[in-house]
Amino acid sequence: MTEEPRTELSRSMHALLLYVCALVLVDTIFFTALTPLLPHYSHTAHLSKSGAGLLVAGYALGTLVGALPGGLLTAHLGYRKVVLLGLALMSVSTFVFGWASVAWVLDAARFVQGLGGACSWAAGLAWLATAAPEDRRGELLGTALGASVSGALFGPVVGGAAYEIGTGPVFATAAVAGAALMGIAFLVQAPGDSVPQGLREALTALSDRRVSTGLWLTTLAGVAFGILNVLAPLRLADLGATALLIAATFLTASAIEAVLSWAAGKQADRRRTIVPITISLIAAIVVSLLAPTLGSVRLLIPVLVLGMPAFEALFAPALTLLSKGANRLRLDQGLAFGLANLAWASGQAVAAAGSGAVAQATSDLVPYCLLAGACLTTLVIIHVRRRRKERPPN
């Protein structure tokens, strides 16, 4: 069978894609830069394991609080204005975070970073999804997500550099990048008209299977990274890994994630979301069971490098399902991605804060086993639903 020809992208569409990629790239760089710095801040700010979990969860908590307001603002004010608001919040809060050494200031700065991310992600992805051709929406969303993974790729490197040079000067570059992106926002393709809608339309959309499945997979991926971003670097540090080695581990994993994100999005355009979802969930179960039990850096690092991309690969098909479901329901894309932010942030915040506390009270094995159980349950339910759908009527 030959593939149907794809819609060619215009020059302005390419420019918009590059802009949204840059938007999520910068945001993710300074979000993930904390990973190799977590042992440093645990020492500097005198954080316990649960305190470290709260610091990691701060961004997700901000996204959680700002998710629905960000989606509603996007639907009412338009995509460009909300992108500018998100960039302003990100720039200021990251600058403050770089110079802070007190726990409550660090937590507050991370929280405001999350508020900014909620605005820029919802508006930016909605801007892209609205302008994208229907037959390439998944691919373009996957490309943008791949850029965010590239941010996760360079984030630990930035964190490692901040450890060596100083957090203040390195994180101050966020303000420079944010200002540049605010200016470029007026040069790219103008966004389409947003559709003023409220919570009523958003809640009604939850009954749609595409929307609900996309949101749950987004939540699950958020839970996974909430657990891994807290427990994995601390586990590596306990086993003797340096900050640079921890950064290299997450760097290598992110390189794989960037490729998988694009590939998963392209598959989603061909209505084959079940394939990348199934592979990701199986791999996620394996890494969840191995990560807390391996007692050697030489064994744990390969598992994390090969296993963490499985969770990232869930995002592209999840957001493609969500966007297509929203399009069918005529739900504003900004509001739909606001729901996605809420789903991700709920999972990330609860898992980051809860996993540290649970691991401290019991062991790392408990939160990892809960994650494996959630992935297994999701895999079973998705395949049961698929078989029921394919079953011929009596």
Side-chain angles (χ1 to χ4, degrees), residues 216 220 277-278 280-286 288-289 311 368-384:
W216 168 245
L220 185 60
I277 288 172
T278 299
S280 295
L281 289 174
I282 292 174
I285 294 169
V286 174
S288 298
L289 295 176
F311 296 106
Y368 275 115
C369 284
L370 292 174
L371 175 60
C375 292
L376 178 60
T377 302
T378 301
L379 181 63
V380 171
I381 291 175
I382 287 177
H383 278 271
V384 168

Side-chain angles (χ1 to χ4, degrees), residues 290-309:
L290 288 178
T293 58
L294 297 176
S296 168
V297 170
R298 292 183 178 180
L299 295 176
L300 180 56
I301 287 178
V303 168
L304 293 176
V305 166
L306 298 176
M308 286 193 293

Side-chain angles (χ1 to χ4, degrees), residues 36-226:
L37 290 171
L38 195 56
H40 162 74
Y41 279 116
S42 296
H43 174 73
T44 302
H46 308 290
L47 302 176
S48 64
K49 186 174 283 190
S50 59
L54 182 61
L55 180 60
V56 173
Y59 182 98
L61 288 170
T63 304
L64 179 63
V65 172
L68 285 180
L72 292 171
L73 283 174
T74 301
H76 285 80
L77 299 180
Y79 305 143
R80 180 182 282 138
K81 290 180 180 178
V82 180
V83 163
L84 295 175
L85 174 61
L87 286 170
L89 291 173
M90 182 275 296
S91 300
V92 173
S93 59
T94 307
F95 180 85
V96 171
F97 186 87
W99 294 101
S101 59
V102 180
W104 73 267
V105 178
L106 292 167
D107 291 338
R110 287 286 286 182
F111 181 83
V112 177
Q113 278 183 326
L115 290 176
C119 293
S120 58
W121 274 77
L125 291 179
W127 193 344
L128 179 63
T130 303
E134 177 68 25
D135 62 338
R136 300 191 67 175
R137 182 177 296 163
E139 179 187 352
L140 298 187
L141 287 174
T143 302
L145 290 171
S148 75
V149 174
S150 297
L153 179 73
F154 290 107
V157 176
V158 172
Y163 181 81
E164 298 294 333
I165 300 172
T167 56
V170 171
F171 285 140
T173 58
V176 177
L181 287 171
M182 292 173 74
I184 297 173
F186 294 96
L187 303 178
V188 296
Q189 175 180 331
D193 294 331
S194 56
V195 182
Q197 293 175 335
L199 291 178
R200 182 177 180 180
E201 289 83 359
L203 294 175
T204 301
L206 296 179
S207 60
D208 181 81
R209 179 167 292 185
R210 281 186 175 182
V211 172
S212 60
T213 300
L215 290 176
W216 168 245
L217 291 173
T218 303
T219 304
L220 185 60
V223 168
F225 283 106

Side-chain angles (χ1 to χ4, degrees), residues 5-11 13-14 133 135-136:
R6 299 182 301 167
T7 303
E8 291 293 329
L9 300 181
S10 65
R11 185 172 298 178
M13 188 68 237
H14 276 292
D135 62 338
R136 300 191 67 175

Side-chain angles (χ1 to χ4, degrees), residues 294-376:
L294 297 176
S296 168
V297 170
R298 292 183 178 180
L299 295 176
L300 180 56
I301 287 178
V303 168
L304 293 176
V305 166
L306 298 176
M308 286 193 293
F311 296 106
E312 179 66 35
L314 288 173
F315 281 120
L319 293 185
T320 302
L321 284 172
L322 175 63
S323 180
K324 290 183 177 180
N327 190 57
R328 188 169 65 87
L329 297 172
R330 297 184 179 179
L331 180 70
D332 182 77
Q333 293 288 331
L335 193 52
F337 285 110
L339 290 174
N341 278 335
L342 179 63
W344 173 84
S346 299
Q348 172 86 5
V350 172
S355 63
V358 171
Q360 187 171 344
T362 56
S363 71
D364 288 5
L365 184 62
V366 175
Y368 275 115
C369 284
L370 292 174
L371 175 60
C375 292
L376 178 60

